[in-house]
Amino acid sequence: MRFRGRPDPCDHAHVNHSTRARTYEKMARLSDAGLDVAALFEESTRLLATALPHDAGCWHTMDPATLVETGVHIEDLPPPDAHVARFAYLSNDYNAIAELIRAGRHSGVLSEATGGRPERSLRYRELLRPRNPWGELRAAFVVDGSCWGCFAFFREARRDFSVAERDFAHQLASVLGRGFRAAGVRARATGGGATRWPGVLLLDADRRVESMSVPAQQWLEELGFFGVPGRDPLPFALLAVAERAQGSAGEASSRVLSEAGRWIQLHASPVSGGAGRRVAIVLQAATPPAIAPLISAAYGLTPRERELIELVLHGTGTAEIAAQLFISPHTVQGHLKSIFAKAGVRSRRELVGRVFVQHDQSAGL
């Protein structure tokens, strides 16, 4: 299968520094524009088409705690299927997202990482070479140590990405991370879900629905799936968590933002017996404990601030917080001031009521 290709193939002529500088400024403004995830995907794609020209690309949002892909936006590529989910984000391949997150540079070109031999990459052999790309550029959207998404851009006909383009992608990493992190912060519920039972899917080895419970259909619709279970490809978030569970031979989970703006918890585990590679997935409303770390990370709170937040949510006073954390009351007040500024509030009551309680409700609780 080849890339779909654009009507007018992109021109990979030299992009000068001033063009990239202008694009960076526009991307920075875009990340602070208050867009939702879908709009952020679209506008980012439009801006980078010129500054990082490419023939095809894919973008993902990610759960920063589990690094499971939770959403996808594609450019001139077929819709991602179970085969893509199985090989695209292997943790032990070249330029794996987990590797780029830990590295000092959050971007990488596949040919450079493989010493000019991209065929050393399993991802290249299974996915890229059959579709005829030559160059691959990846970037992980890391901000304050957490990854909120990634992109992979591709070029055909032996046209590769340059070191300058790799470095520009790294410069964009924190800007894009800030934008996608903010989009998660703004998640709000728009409909009922508190009384909905968890849904259960059983997927076969080809990641088709083998059986499902009645509530699962409603959860699938929240994830944008209106096809026929067992025939049409499932949302990529489900395929990704299924492959993660299968690959680790254990359980995997992620938190996914639904199209209704509600956080949904996905739990996947391999199923023993019958045909191999079967996976069961439970879909349910995310609980407050499940999303509280995500909210804290989304606001860019430091580990110490997250400790303090947990105590504040339990109604602990300043003096007691100071004693438990072995810091002075003055330091506690300094941390609180920083937390208030990041969350856009002015008091403990507003922090708990407008930020955390509101997000708990956005989980459908």
Side-chain angles (χ1 to χ4, degrees):
M1 183 183 298
R2 293 172 58 89
F3 289 151
R4 289 178 174 178
R6 299 177 179 175
D8 297 311
C10 67
D11 179 10
H12 303 312
H14 175 68
V15 177
N16 61 37
H17 176 75
S18 62
T19 298
R20 295 197 185 103
R22 289 193 298 270
T23 300
Y24 181 90
E25 293 175 0
K26 292 177 182 178
M27 290 295 301
R29 291 195 296 269
L30 182 67
S31 292
D32 296 327
L35 301 180
D36 61 21
V37 172
L40 192 55
F41 272 143
E42 292 291 343
E43 289 301 308
S44 298
T45 298
R46 181 182 61 82
L47 286 175
L48 293 190
T50 300
L52 281 175
H54 47 280
D55 295 298
C58 61
W59 300 66
H60 287 281
T61 53
M62 303 185 77
D63 182 330
T66 63
L67 302 185
V68 174
E69 300 77 36
T70 57
V72 63
H73 174 81
I74 58 175
E75 305 175 63
D76 299 302
L77 284 170
D81 55 15
H83 190 63
V84 172
R86 190 170 304 160
F87 293 104
Y89 294 95
L90 296 171
S91 61
N92 58 350
D93 204 351
Y94 294 91
N95 283 346
I97 295 301
E99 175 187 339
L100 294 179
I101 292 170
R102 294 189 299 266
R105 184 178 64 240
H106 302 309
S107 62
V109 176
L110 184 60
S111 60
E112 180 184 26
T114 58
R117 296 172 57 197
E119 66 276 4
R120 296 166 65 185
S121 163
L122 180 59
R123 176 177 74 256
Y124 181 84
R125 296 195 304 270
E126 291 290 335
L127 295 178
L128 304 185
R129 184 164 57 188
R131 301 180 185 190
N132 197 40
W134 175 253
E136 181 203 63
L137 170 67
R138 278 185 160 191
F141 308 157
V142 179
V143 59
D144 295 329
S146 296
C147 182
W148 298 86
C150 61
F151 69 59
F153 292 164
F154 309 100
R155 287 178 179 167
E156 294 184 278
R158 302 188 69 85
R159 292 174 294 187
D160 208 347
F161 292 91
S162 67
V163 170
E165 289 171 319
R166 179 204 66 190
D167 292 344
F168 179 57
H170 168 69
Q171 293 172 355
L172 291 171
S174 62
V175 173
L176 287 163
R178 191 171 72 243
F180 282 99
R181 180 178 70 180
V185 170
R186 287 186 291 274
R188 294 292 185 269
T190 58
T195 60
R196 184 183 302 164
W197 284 91
V200 181
L201 297 173
L202 181 61
L203 307 186
D204 64 18
D206 296 322
R207 300 300 175 251
R208 302 287 182 177
V209 176
E210 187 173 300
S211 63
M212 62 185 294
S213 66
V214 174
Q217 181 67 55
Q218 294 175 299
W219 289 114
L220 287 176
E221 290 175 358
E222 278 218 31
L223 292 174
F225 178 82
F226 295 95
V228 178
R231 186 192 70 187
D232 298 317
L234 291 169
F236 191 78
L238 291 171
L239 300 176
V241 75
E243 290 302 327
R244 189 64 58 88
Q246 187 68 53
S248 63
E251 298 181 347
S253 65
S254 67
R255 297 155 296 190
V256 181
L257 186 60
S258 76
E259 295 193 352
R262 187 187 350 266
W263 288 106
I264 299 175
Q265 187 88 21
L266 306 180
H267 303 276
S269 60
V271 176
S272 60
R277 291 186 52 81
R278 296 161 77 224
V279 173
I281 300 179
V282 176
L283 304 89
Q284 64 185 64
T287 62
I291 64 171
L294 184 67
I295 296 168
S296 294
Y299 280 109
L301 304 185
T302 66
R304 175 61 89 182
E305 290 170 345
R306 296 179 198 184
E307 287 183 283
L308 196 143
I309 278 289
E310 185 174 348
L311 295 173
V312 168
L313 293 177
H314 284 86
T316 311
T318 298
E320 191 175 352
I321 291 174
Q324 290 192 35
L325 298 183
F326 301 101
I327 56 178
S328 70
H330 178 74
T331 301
V332 171
Q333 292 299 332
H335 284 311
L336 285 173
K337 183 177 180 181
S338 173
I339 292 169
F340 294 164
K342 291 176 180 179
V345 299
R346 292 179 292 181
S347 68
R348 293 192 190 199
R349 177 174 295 184
E350 191 177 3
L351 176 71
V352 174
R354 190 166 75 82
V355 178
F356 284 88
V357 171
Q358 207 167 33
H359 277 283
D360 287 352
Q361 292 171 347
S362 80
L365 301 169

